[in-house]
């Protein structure tokens, strides 16, 4: 069965520092990978997605993610975090004929 | 372009009561999804509609949950009777066709349900 793990429940970084959020998946088929962000009281907003081509994907708000098939990972990165980036981040995986599965999320706190 | 609308935003009920949530997807979107997000967890797909037909309801607790999308536009999710463990945020999402691989789902703000 497909699964998505996000090993870090909560991460705290200082404003201006770099950020990497981890995502690992277990999928039998070719996965389609997504990162969503959820701010308090808000719905989920798509940051970026990967389904083919260049394994380094650029998204909105300065985020990028790299698909590494050998490591079954799709980690999200940002070179310089802003206070407004504090939110919950969800990795999600889909595949043809399979349900869309979300990871448990990583909560990001940003110190001034 | 208007986003996905949901109402109510908050609901508090007692166990064994009934509750209904409403969702209006982005105009023209054929596919509509209902998710349940329990505190501290990622969203879990409950049901997926393609126009007014059900594509996947394998994770919907059918003994108490029901959903409909009669005219292929807006949708209602009902819980009857509610249990304590139904306390969660119920998210509605839509996508343009649901058929394209990697298609983006657009989410509404959610309805936060508390069952006492």
């Amino acid at each position: 069965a497909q699964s998505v793990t996000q090993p870090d429940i909560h991460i705290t970084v200082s404003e201006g520092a770099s950020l990497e959020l981890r995502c690992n998946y277990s999928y039998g088929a070719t996965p389609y990978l997504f990162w969503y962000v959820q701010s308090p009281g808000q719905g989920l907003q798509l940051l970026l997605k990967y389904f083919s081509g260049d394994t380094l994907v650029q998204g909105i708000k300065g985020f990028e993610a790299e698909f590494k098939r050998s490591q079954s990972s799709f980690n999200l990165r940002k070179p310089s975090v802003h206070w407004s980036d504090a939110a919950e981040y969800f990795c999600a995986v889909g595949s043809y004929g399979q349900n869309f599965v979300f990871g448990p999320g990583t909560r990001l706190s940003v110190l001034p | 372009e208007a986003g996905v609308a949901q109402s109510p935003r908050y609901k508090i009920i007692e166990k064994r009561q009934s509750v209904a949530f409403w969702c209006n997807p982005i105009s023209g979107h054929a596919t509509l999804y209902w998710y349940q997000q329990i505190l501290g967890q990622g969203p879990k797909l409950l049901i997926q509609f393609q126009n007014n037909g059900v594509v996947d309801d394998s994770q919907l607790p059918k003994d108490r949950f029901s959903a409909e999308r009669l005219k292929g536009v807006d949708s209602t999710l009902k819980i009857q009777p509610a249990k304590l463990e139904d306390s969660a945020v119920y998210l509605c999402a839509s996508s343009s066709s649901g058929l394209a691989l990697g298609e983006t789902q657009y989410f509404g703000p959610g309805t936060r349900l508390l069952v006492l």
Side-chain angles (χ1 to χ4, degrees), chain B residues 68-90:
Chain B
E68 60 183 13
R69 193 185 184 200
L70 292 176
K71 297 181 180 179
V73 181
D74 56 353
S75 175
T76 303
L77 176 69
K78 297 180 181 178
I79 307 175
Q80 180 178 7
K83 293 185 175 181
L84 297 177
E85 60 261 35
D86 298 331
S87 295
V89 176
Y90 291 85

Side-chain angles (χ1 to χ4, degrees), chain A residues 9 11 14 27 30 51 53 60 84 86 96 102:
Chain A
I9 297 173
I11 285 182
S14 297
Y27 239 77
T30 300
F51 48 94
I60 63 171
S84 60
Y96 185 77
F102 280 87

